[in-house]
Amino acid sequence: MFRKKKSSSQSSAINSKRTIAVASIPRTSLIWLLTTQALVLLPHLLRIPYWVGILAVACGCWRIMIFNGRWSYPARWLKALLVIGAVTGTFLNYGTIVGLEAGVVLLLCTFLLKLLEMKNQRDAYLVVFLSYFVIVTQLLYSQAIPSAAYTFFTLVVITSALVGLHQQQGTLQLKKTLRKGAVMMLQSVPLMVLLFIFIPRLGPIWSVELPSQKARSGVSDQMTPGDIAELSKSDALAFRATFSGTIPPQDQLYWRGVVLAELMGRTWRQASRELALAGRTGQDLKLSGNPLITWGDQFQRWPNAVKKQGQALHYTVILEPTQQNWLYALAVPQISNVDIGVTRDFTLIAREPVRLRQQYEVRSYPSSLVDIELPHWLRRQNVQLSAFGNPQTRTFAQQLWDDVKQQPQLYIDRILQYFNRQPFYYTLKPPTLGFNSMDEFLFTSRRGFCAHYASTFVYLMRLAGIPARVIAGYQGGERNTTNNYVQVRQFDAHAWAEVWLEGKGWVRVDPTASVAPERIQDGLEAALAEEGSFLEDTPLSPIRFKHIGWINRLRLEWDILEYRWQRFVLNYNQDQQMEFFNQLFGSFSWYKLALALGGGIGSIIIMLGVWIILRRQSIKYDPATRLYLKFCQWGRKQGCPRQVGETPSSYLARLQQHVPQYATWVQRITDSFVYLQYDPLLREKPQEYRVELLRLKKLVLRPIKSIQVLS
């Protein structure tokens, strides 16, 4: 019996301790904290392992059970086991615990596990402060407008949770707390914009590669027929190009990316092994030391390679992350950016792989003549072929070359005529080709994508001894004449050929135009209209609904908004900031910058102060409170003002002592006000409420008559 009583007392002590711990974090605050954690975790759910979601649900349920007093806090050994399990699970999923994605998962796990050891208000503050930090991690994956808007909304909720922790739990109201959090965030926006504009812009401290970005890396440094067909099934944005003048015609928008001059089996790749290796691994020393790349003016480095002529095209490119070194530009590019080089075949290349969105300005001379005198090593590089395979194609090329009496231009024309007059088809679903792929394509299947036609054309050129190479990049793009930019997507990926002709240098030839001219003039959708395979893997893509007027208008408006967001916000770098400072101040100086920043902050503080004052003056009271405040003014005139925070009953007692002749009148007013203001049942009786309010109004607004009646 004695032991049972002791056990009962111990149980009571444990329950009391549990109650004290639970009472320190009230129910409303716990709801705010759980909501905050859910919102922080939500954007990561599709990219993190499934067990993290299970852990989140488990931690939330355990926390609720602790609050209800049914479960106790987990023991130390259990918390240690959960931490070890989170670390082990992360390592098994990513093979490391130090990478970006692995680090984000570990951060989310520790953030969730914090719920299980949260015992007091100080721990709750820590969870809220961690929420501010963790929500920013989603911006490592996407900085698009929806992501930014979601982050801002989540910050409002986190701030509201912080407000709720500072309020008395009896007075907490969801709408008022959320409104206060939103007002605080909106008040911070002017200061945020000011700091964004004027604080010196620094480049990223580090650059990281996300495995999730590899699937949309764009054009590769090697090409096998069918690769670009797979890439063209995606509607992901590749880049935007904004022109300072008129946008060139659609059939002139050939965005050169990679020059493929070496054929290995069925695969074309870059001729320079050193350059190809550097492009794959981002080895800066090899890039910087490569004699085929210049980081200065290529027209000075190779003065005999380019004969500049025609008008220059000025444009700015905003390139999406590709994890590759090469950039895209029209022929022949000239660039002054010290971090961007120009290769000997006049393509652009960055010092490091493009892991973040990159903006660069280009000046192109598309009418220039390139390599009028072709160096011997470059000629040898662009005529090499294996000595075996494709016997039918070799015979066909030899007969055709003899028929035109070895005249290169006639030879080119005859091959293009062959593509045009024979039953060749442009398709995203070409048949699989065997060892003699050129023979099968030219004489059997005759179905292929741009890579098939470009590859076969260059092969035929080299069989005749004509230098030729494959160019991989993009062709065309969706034009926006209002903002003067071209939007190029992955389905605009394209391959074409360049051949070298005496007296003309390198000349662009696109055999696809002979088979499907609508692909060059109107884009991929027009070329695949009969086949119906355009974006068939993405049936909900807005681009597929361009024929519906209102959907297309919404899509174009959204594209314009995204374009401005990228150009003026995401790409607001040091160069743009200095240009803005020069326009604003005439010339940049730290004194002017400090003065502008200080003046801006001071102006924001003054405006917020004025807004707070005006807001206080415009407070709206309910009718009963307004009447009672008018009664309090009467009391002040009698020499008995109401004190700050004084209750109606306390004020009544002081008034009855100070003006005993009005004791009955002030008693009736106070009783009526308390009845109207604090009786919960009266609100459900609108007729009785109006009668009582009218009674209070008569008592307050007619004090002399009321006092006479009561006396």
Side-chain angles (χ1 to χ4, degrees), residues 344-582:
R344 179 57 181 81
D345 47 30
F346 299 100
T347 56
L348 300 182
I349 191 165
R351 291 186 185 273
E352 297 181 357
V354 183
R355 298 189 179 100
L356 301 173
R357 187 178 290 105
Q358 184 167 343
Q359 177 174 314
Y360 52 94
E361 296 182 3
V362 189
R363 178 181 298 175
S364 291
Y365 296 85
S367 300
S368 297
L369 301 180
V370 180
D371 287 328
I372 297 178
E373 296 182 3
L374 190 64
H376 177 70
W377 67 270
L378 196 55
R379 176 186 294 272
R380 185 176 66 252
Q381 183 183 87
N382 287 280
V383 295
Q384 288 181 344
L385 279 178
S386 60
F388 55 88
N390 299 298
Q392 289 181 272
T393 304
R394 292 175 182 272
T395 301
F396 172 77
Q398 185 62 49
Q399 293 176 349
L400 196 60
W401 182 245
D402 293 338
D403 289 344
V404 298
K405 300 179 181 179
Q406 300 184 357
Q407 298 183 48
Q409 186 61 60
L410 290 178
Y411 181 71
I412 294 172
D413 294 341
R414 288 288 296 274
I415 291 177
L416 294 179
Q417 288 176 7
Y418 181 79
F419 281 135
N420 180 259
R421 294 174 181 177
Q422 296 298 321
F424 283 92
Y425 297 94
Y426 184 82
T427 177
L428 281 178
K429 301 175 181 179
T432 303
L433 301 177
F435 176 75
N436 294 313
S437 57
M438 301 294 177
D439 288 352
E440 294 179 30
F441 175 70
L442 273 176
F443 307 108
T444 305
S445 71
R446 292 178 174 175
R447 303 176 67 86
F449 199 58
C450 59
H452 294 80
Y453 294 101
S455 176
T456 304
F457 180 84
V458 172
Y459 190 83
L460 290 169
M461 291 296 107
R462 292 191 177 188
L463 287 175
I466 301 174
R469 57 196 185 188
V470 176
I471 311 297
Y474 298 89
Q475 196 281 323
E478 188 173 21
R479 306 156 72 91
N480 187 302
T481 55
T482 303
N483 291 272
N484 214 43
Y485 71 86
V486 175
Q487 186 169 250
V488 180
R489 297 187 177 273
Q490 295 296 352
F491 58 69
D492 293 313
H494 193 58
W496 62 95
E498 285 184 350
V499 297
W500 186 86
L501 298 176
E502 190 74 33
K504 296 182 179 180
W506 290 104
V507 178
R508 181 181 70 240
V509 180
D510 190 353
T512 302
S514 299
V515 180
E518 60 275 11
R519 164 64 185 90
I520 310 304
Q521 296 292 339
D522 303 317
L524 183 66
E525 184 177 11
L528 299 175
E530 293 186 6
E531 185 176 83
S533 58
F534 179 70
L535 296 180
E536 63 180 356
D537 295 337
T538 54
L540 298 180
S541 172
I543 299 175
R544 296 194 56 164
F545 302 96
K546 290 196 299 184
H547 60 283
I548 303 177
W550 67 272
I551 294 181
N552 195 48
R553 285 193 297 272
L554 286 177
R555 182 184 67 86
L556 293 177
E557 291 296 329
W558 179 257
D559 287 339
I560 292 173
L561 186 62
E562 279 192 329
Y563 162 75
R564 292 175 178 172
W565 171 260
Q566 288 186 3
R567 185 172 185 185
F568 300 113
V569 178
L570 299 182
N571 291 295
Y572 184 69
N573 53 26
Q574 189 175 10
D575 294 336
Q576 289 187 331
Q577 188 181 49
M578 293 304 297
E579 182 180 352
F580 174 74
F581 288 165
N582 291 332

